[in-house]
Amino acid sequence: MDVITTHINADFDCLGGMIAARRLYPDAAMVFAGAQERGLREFFMQSAFYAYEFKRIRDIDLDAITRLILVDVCQAERIGPFGEVATRPGVEVHIYDHHPNKPHALHGSVEVIRPVGSTVTVLTHLFMERGIHPTPDEATMMLLGLYEDTSKLLSHATSAADYQAAAYLVEHGGNLNTVSDFLVQELTSDQVSLLHELLQSLTAINVNSVDIHIAHASIDNFVGDLAILAHKIKDMKTLDALFVAVRMGDRIFMVGRSRIPEVPAGDILEEFGGGGHGFAASATVRDMTLVQVLEKLPAVLRRHVNPHWEARHIMFSPVKTVQVADTIAQVREILTRYNINALPVLDGERVVGIITRQVAEKAAHHLLESVPVAEYMNSDFASVRPEISLRELQDLIVGRHQRFVPVVENGQLIGALTRTDLLHHMVSGAVARRRQGIGEPGNGLTLKRRVVAHLLRNQLREPLQKLLFHIGEVGDFLGQNVFVVGGFVRDLLLRQENFDIDVVVEGDGIGFAEEFGRRHGCRVRAHRKFATAVLVFPDGFKIDVASARTEYYLEPGALPTVETASIKLDLYRRDFTINTLAIAMNRAHFGELLDYFGGQSDLREKAIRVLHNLSFVEDPTRMFRAIRFEQRLAFQLGRHTEHLLKSAVRMGFLEKVSGPRVFNEMLLILREPDPLPAIARLDELGLLAYIHPRMSCRSEINRLLAAAKRTVDWYELLYTGEGCQRWQVFFLCLFSGLDESEVNQVLRHLGMPPRYAEFFGPERETVHRIVHQLEWRCSQRRNLSNSEVYRMLRELPIEALLYGMARTEHEEARRLMSHFVTHLRSVVSLIGGRDLQSMGLKPGPCYGEILNKLVAARLDGLVSTREDELRLVRRLLAG
């Protein structure tokens, strides 16, 4: 039996979510777990038509429930009698919610939890994705929930997705007049009295430099819609954060509202047995008095309200510097190499000035490159202490127009920050927390993080979860910050499987790998030149470990020069923003996401973007990777990124890259499950022409590639047990328009290993010849015997056979090749060399001749048993 339910004290978002969920589970019963808010009760009384399909709890056999669908809730203690059902073995739980998943929350086999303004929005987007059209009545009830939970699309929790969902529901008949009638209600006399008492009690406390208001009241009777009163107080007084606690009879009802990310209302009221999201939450307390609640609340706030922001929280470190005696030429080289715009100038260890890129470029323009930087640095600057508040920092940057600010402690430079860093912090809503006791000053804080521990639990198998935990454990032991980074994190957020784990250590990566290897019995392959290592587990599983590092390119297309750095600089060296995400592994911050460069935003927008304008110039092979990710993920190159790529192709930067590096990138593309869209995109952007000017995806090559894809897919579905190198088949197709000399030219250009050069050279010509012969013999209407087909095709590797099948347009030739692959290719004789030797035949070339004749006879049906073969051998020997 399927049941759809929601949290006790249900509101319109619960109603709309349940109505929507019923469309996904048409056989499910809809049951409220407890009471409803007054507005919802009045809606039912005035619109009984809408309530006809809801059942009462007493009408449900709880023991008969096999699947429980939870809407707008993911906590067992908030669903009344269904809490026991949700944790019962054998019951399948599906969750649709917009509240963040808490550590002690329920988990289901299906979880659709998105950070939007209402649960209705989550379900409406599922409707949009699946082509489900709500009826006008359903759309109206869903609109009621969406508008109520987002404060008529005006709350801080409202997202673009909420507006899209509202538009979709209105398009399908959602009645805004009905929404207005039921959501705009006059306060009752009891509510007005309670509102007055709450306003009288309103006080403010300062927690970590954030003003938080608290209101309380005590009444004997129940007054509904406390959330509406909290909204009115917050709006009347223009408050950033408000918590209301009211004793009604023997219970304490709490409501939290917040406009700012520093005050996570859901986390705070969770400690009182409630829940919600960052901007709105509620709780019902039964085991405490109002006085106890008000005494506990400040301590809870101190635990959850983010600490006061200081310069140390957003500065970067280590900082590149120059000395006063260094020349302008040396300054320009460092600015260019590390792609930065300003450098602090030191006299020993003391900061004495700042030199900017603009000044260095102008000095060079005036032929002053050999002059010491001390002559042109700006010595009229301000440095700051790490504990300076961001408000003071903002005044400094804006008031004094200082774009680069050194952070100094005890006379030593420990970090720096720029106007861009401050702006990014102000607009991102980022939350920083201290990582106590880990790392050097400046390395212990992050700009932007989100807890993704629940994703790690839900997406990964238990052994992999334990492995990540052990990685953090070793990091804690060594006092090093440890992260998993790159594609593993990207695919985790995309809910895609990826077991290629890359670990980055702020510190000695090789030392970390060696300690991990000692603890867990892994072999360690170290590459000290690059400060990297590979952990090889007993079962062959591998993890790449690297020290956090930065890199620069001495010239376009060259391999990078590497230096150790912070995690932020390590992420900045990566190819695309979606690959710059990192997850902390240390126990205190396990599962926290670092996103310095907008990777999450680009994942949402399905965009491939480079981090800086010279990305394709420094490493032109990134052009191939951009297309591979674009097609694999069904993303789109950002407009500016595509412009930069086309510019790099036009300026010939690929010519500076060694052929083997390009071959490796092509290999990765052709190994994709469906490489055809990427090949077409390579052609469109002019990258195939780099491999050879005549290589393209013109119509006949497109036909051949499509046929090869079908043929390879067909072969893999046969499950013969013999693998197939798909990429070789597709490469043969790309070579199809080139003659022998042009193919050899490509092989030399790409530096293909000899084993591949043989296959794509002479082997390719052999395939063409055999396919041509087979087509000619079929066109003569000759019925080829199985043994004749076998003799023609037996020497070809499977990749060449599949290419031949794709290449031929002769139906009978293709059928014969298919028959060879599926039936003839595996035929062998039942007797072997030992049998021949026992019959008195001396070993020699005749063995091969006899065995071939036995196979031919078996193929043509002339022998079927071992005795048949022995009789045939005796006749051959007698002859």
Side-chain angles (χ1 to χ4, degrees):
M1 178 183 182
D2 292 354
V3 168
I4 300 170
T5 191
T6 186
H7 60 74
I8 55 179
N9 294 323
D11 56 17
F12 280 109
D13 195 31
C14 300
L15 169 68
M18 293 172 72
I19 292 294
R22 180 67 182 277
R23 290 295 299 273
L24 303 180
Y25 305 87
D27 297 325
M30 294 186 292
V31 188
F32 285 107
Q36 301 93 46
E37 290 188 353
R38 180 173 67 90
L40 185 54
R41 293 197 306 272
E42 291 184 4
F43 176 81
F44 281 141
M45 286 188 291
Q46 297 182 38
S47 307
F49 168 78
Y50 293 127
Y52 78 102
E53 289 189 356
F54 283 84
K55 295 185 181 296
R56 292 172 295 186
I57 292 179
R58 66 188 182 194
D59 298 329
I60 299 295
D61 181 0
L62 298 182
D63 293 332
I65 297 175
T66 56
R67 180 161 58 178
L68 189 65
I69 298 97
L70 300 181
V71 172
D72 199 38
V73 65
C74 59
Q75 293 162 291
E77 60 269 26
R78 300 191 71 203
I79 54 176
F82 293 107
E84 181 274 332
V85 177
T87 56
R88 185 195 306 154
V91 175
E92 187 178 357
V93 178
H94 293 191
I95 299 173
Y96 299 86
D97 199 4
H98 72 119
H99 302 106
N101 208 334
K102 302 298 180 184
H104 304 296
L106 292 168
H107 291 287
S109 56
V110 173
E111 289 187 10
V112 184
I113 302 173
R114 299 176 181 174
V116 293
S118 76
T119 299
V120 164
T121 298
V122 174
L123 288 155
T124 302
H125 277 268
L126 288 180
F127 279 25
M128 295 161 68
E129 293 164 10
R130 301 179 186 181
I132 300 173
H133 302 295
T135 66
D137 289 336
E138 290 170 339
T140 300
M141 286 185 279
M142 292 168 71
L143 266 179
L144 277 164
L146 195 160
Y147 269 66
E148 181 189 61
D149 242 33
T150 60
S151 299
K152 303 172 189 174
L153 298 174
L154 294 175
S155 79
H156 283 68
T158 307
S159 65
D162 296 298
Y163 285 92
Q164 293 164 355
Y168 184 82
L169 295 173
V170 171
E171 288 172 359
H172 287 82
N175 191 325
L176 288 173
N177 290 327
T178 302
V179 173
S180 177
D181 289 342
F182 284 96
L183 292 188
V184 180
Q185 298 180 352
E186 296 295 326
L187 298 181
T188 66
S189 58
D190 286 341
Q191 287 176 323
V192 172
S193 176
L194 178 56
L195 176 62
H196 176 73
E197 189 172 344
L198 291 171
L199 287 170
Q200 291 294 106
S201 69
L202 188 66
T203 57
I205 64 173
N206 188 278
V207 180
N208 293 326
S209 300
V210 178
D211 288 331
I212 300 172
H213 287 76
I214 298 173
H216 62 88
S218 181
I219 56 178
D220 292 328
N221 58 305
F222 178 82
V223 176
D225 292 335
L226 184 60
I228 292 177
L229 303 185
H231 270 295
K232 286 189 176 294
I233 295 172
K234 180 170 66 74
D235 293 340
M236 290 165 60
K237 299 293 186 179
T238 317
L239 307 179
D240 285 333
L242 169 68
F243 290 87
V244 173
V246 179
R247 182 193 67 80
M248 299 184 192
D250 60 351
R251 300 180 186 178
I252 312 298
F253 293 87
M254 302 182 71
V255 172
R257 293 294 184 265
S258 172
R259 299 180 191 270
I260 53 177
E262 287 81 3
V263 184
D267 292 345
I268 292 164
L269 290 193
E270 186 179 357
E271 293 211 22
F272 293 89
H277 51 74
F279 298 96
S282 62
T284 302
V285 184
R286 293 178 173 83
D287 55 355
M288 299 174 67
T289 66
L290 180 59
V291 172
Q292 289 174 316
V293 167
L294 294 175
E295 286 178 347
K296 178 180 178 180
L297 184 56
V300 174
L301 290 172
R302 282 191 290 272
R303 281 198 295 273
H304 289 280
V305 174
N306 291 312
H308 172 60
W309 282 94
E310 297 175 348
R312 73 172 76 246
H313 298 155
I314 66 170
M315 72 182 187
F316 59 87
S317 178
V319 185
K320 292 297 177 186
T321 62
V322 292
Q323 290 289 325
V324 287
D326 290 340
T327 64
I328 292 294
Q330 292 171 306
V331 169
R332 289 184 71 203
E333 181 185 356
I334 294 174
L335 290 168
T336 302
R337 175 182 298 172
Y338 297 104
N339 194 34
I340 51 182
N341 293 312
L343 286 167
V345 183
L346 304 186
D347 184 358
E349 295 185 350
R350 187 169 60 92
V351 183
V352 294
I354 297 172
I355 184 74
T356 64
R357 181 187 294 271
Q358 293 91 334
V359 171
E361 293 295 339
K362 285 186 177 180
H365 176 73
H366 293 293
L367 306 180
L368 300 172
E369 289 186 307
S370 60
V371 175
V373 67
E375 298 295 329
Y376 298 107
M377 69 183 186
N378 177 16
S379 56
D380 182 16
F381 70 97
S383 60
V384 298
R385 303 179 313 280
E387 62 271 15
I388 189 174
S389 71
L390 290 200
R391 186 178 298 277
E392 296 173 275
L393 187 63
Q394 182 178 337
D395 292 340
L396 169 65
I397 289 178
V398 176
R400 293 189 54 165
H401 304 288
Q402 185 171 325
R403 303 178 63 168
F404 182 92
V405 181
V407 181
V408 176
E409 186 172 49
N410 298 326
Q412 290 190 327
L413 180 72
I414 66 168
L417 50 86
T418 66
R419 183 173 65 180
T420 302
D421 293 328
L422 179 63
L423 180 63
H424 182 269
H425 164 77
M426 293 171 65
V427 302
S428 68
V431 177
R433 300 182 189 271
R434 305 173 195 278
R435 293 193 231 145
Q436 297 291 352
I438 300 177
E440 296 300 318
N443 293 342
L445 299 164
T446 60
L447 267 178
K448 186 174 184 180
R449 297 187 291 197
R450 189 177 75 183
V451 177
V452 292
H454 71 281
L455 266 181
L456 294 169
R457 287 194 301 270
N458 296 343
Q459 293 290 113
L460 305 180
R461 299 188 183 96
E462 187 175 349
L464 198 52
Q465 294 180 40
K466 289 182 178 178
L467 174 60
L468 296 180
F469 176 82
H470 292 321
I471 288 171
E473 195 174 50
V474 174
D476 289 339
F477 174 77
L478 297 174
Q480 297 174 329
N481 297 329
V482 185
F483 310 88
V484 291
V485 301
F488 174 82
V489 181
R490 177 199 68 223
D491 290 345
L492 180 74
L493 297 184
L494 292 173
R495 275 71 171 179
Q496 296 182 6
E497 201 170 70
N498 187 338
F499 298 128
D500 292 333
I501 298 179
D502 292 319
V503 173
V504 170
V505 181
E506 279 189 329
D508 182 4
I510 294 177
F512 171 90
E514 290 171 343
E515 176 63 26
F516 190 96
R518 278 193 294 272
R519 291 182 176 217
H520 299 283
C522 303
R523 289 189 294 112
V524 178
R525 295 205 303 257
H527 307 281
R528 299 195 179 276
K529 178 180 178 182
F530 299 104
T532 64
V534 179
L535 285 168
V536 184
F537 289 76
D539 62 359
F541 184 72
K542 297 177 182 178
I543 291 180
D544 292 322
V545 179
S547 300
R549 60 199 194 275
T550 187
E551 59 189 29
Y552 56 88
Y553 296 79
L554 296 176
E555 60 182 46
L559 291 173
T561 300
V562 175
E563 294 181 3
T564 56
S566 65
I567 183 65
K568 181 178 180 180
L569 288 177
D570 183 275
L571 296 173
Y572 182 71
R573 71 183 178 83
R574 296 175 185 270
D575 45 15
F576 310 111
T577 57
I578 61 171
N579 293 332
T580 63
L581 300 165
I583 298 177
M585 290 290 102
N586 298 88
R587 180 177 297 185
H589 301 277
F590 183 84
E592 293 180 348
L593 185 68
L594 280 68
D595 181 5
Y596 292 103
F597 308 108
Q600 293 176 90
S601 174
D602 286 342
L603 284 178
R604 286 192 295 269
E605 296 179 16
K606 297 187 174 182
I608 304 293
R609 292 192 174 95
V610 293
L611 276 75
H612 56 85
N613 288 359
L614 295 178
S615 183
F616 294 131
V617 174
E618 293 179 343
D619 185 359
T621 61
R622 286 174 177 163
M623 293 187 268
F624 291 89
R625 292 203 292 280
I627 292 168
R628 174 159 55 91
F629 287 130
E630 179 191 50
Q631 300 306 315
R632 178 204 293 176
L633 302 174
F635 279 26
Q636 190 85 28
L637 289 181
R639 182 181 301 177
H640 183 57
T641 296
E642 185 167 341
H643 167 76
L644 293 172
L645 188 152
K646 290 178 178 177
S647 174
V649 172
R650 191 169 55 252
M651 297 177 70
F653 286 109
L654 269 172
E655 301 295 335
K656 301 178 183 295
V657 180
S658 68
R661 291 181 66 199
V662 174
F663 171 60
N664 186 58
E665 294 297 335
M666 282 297 295
L667 206 61
L668 293 172
I669 288 174
L670 297 180
R671 281 175 172 163
E672 290 287 314
D674 182 8
L676 271 58
I679 293 172
R681 193 81 160 111
L682 288 171
D683 189 37
E684 176 190 344
L685 295 172
L687 293 173
L688 282 185
Y690 160 78
I691 297 174
H692 192 279
R694 290 209 315 115
M695 185 176 285
S696 71
C697 280
R698 57 184 183 272
S699 57
E700 61 269 27
I701 303 298
N702 266 333
R703 183 208 66 79
L704 183 57
L705 286 166
K709 173 74 166 52
R710 291 192 298 271
T711 304
V712 170
D713 290 344
W714 163 81
Y715 176 75
E716 291 181 342
L717 287 173
L718 294 177
Y719 299 109
T720 63
E722 180 184 359
C724 163
Q725 297 293 325
R726 299 165 57 97
W727 69 270
Q728 294 183 9
V729 182
F730 294 121
F731 235 135
L732 282 171
C733 294
L734 289 174
F735 284 151
S736 186
L738 308 181
D739 61 31
E740 186 176 356
S741 64
E742 290 169 331
V743 169
N744 290 331
Q745 181 183 343
V746 171
L747 297 178
R748 289 192 300 271
H749 173 53
L750 296 182
M752 281 199 189
R755 63 184 185 279
Y756 297 147
E758 175 70 22
F759 177 78
F760 291 116
E763 195 75 56
R764 168 179 174 270
E765 295 304 314
T766 301
V767 176
H768 290 178
R769 175 177 52 79
I770 290 175
V771 169
H772 178 71
Q773 290 175 356
L774 190 60
E775 290 174 338
W776 181 83
R777 297 184 70 171
C778 289
S779 67
Q780 300 301 307
R781 300 189 180 278
R782 287 191 54 189
N783 293 324
L784 295 175
S785 66
N786 286 342
S787 59
E788 289 178 295
V789 174
Y790 182 87
R791 279 196 297 272
M792 294 181 70
L793 302 178
R794 66 180 178 179
E795 299 299 330
L796 294 178
I798 188 61
E799 294 80 11
L801 284 167
L802 297 177
Y803 167 65
M805 287 179 63
R807 181 179 175 84
T808 183
E809 296 188 44
H810 196 291
E811 199 61 40
E812 178 62 12
R814 186 182 298 113
R815 187 193 69 79
L816 290 174
M817 296 180 77
S818 169
H819 183 59
F820 173 77
V821 170
T822 55
H823 295 90
L824 309 184
R825 190 164 179 259
S826 58
V827 172
V828 294
S829 61
L830 296 181
I831 67 173
R834 288 185 179 180
D835 298 294
L836 297 178
Q837 192 170 8
S838 68
M839 297 172 72
L841 189 64
K842 293 182 179 180
C846 61
Y847 273 35
E849 295 176 17
I850 292 174
L851 294 175
N852 286 338
K853 288 183 179 181
L854 287 175
V855 171
R858 177 168 289 280
L859 289 166
D860 293 337
L862 301 178
V863 298
S864 59
T865 67
R866 176 180 171 84
E867 288 69 25
D868 291 341
E869 291 189 5
L870 289 171
R871 280 194 294 271
L872 177 57
V873 171
R874 292 189 191 102
R875 287 201 301 272
L876 291 172
L877 291 178

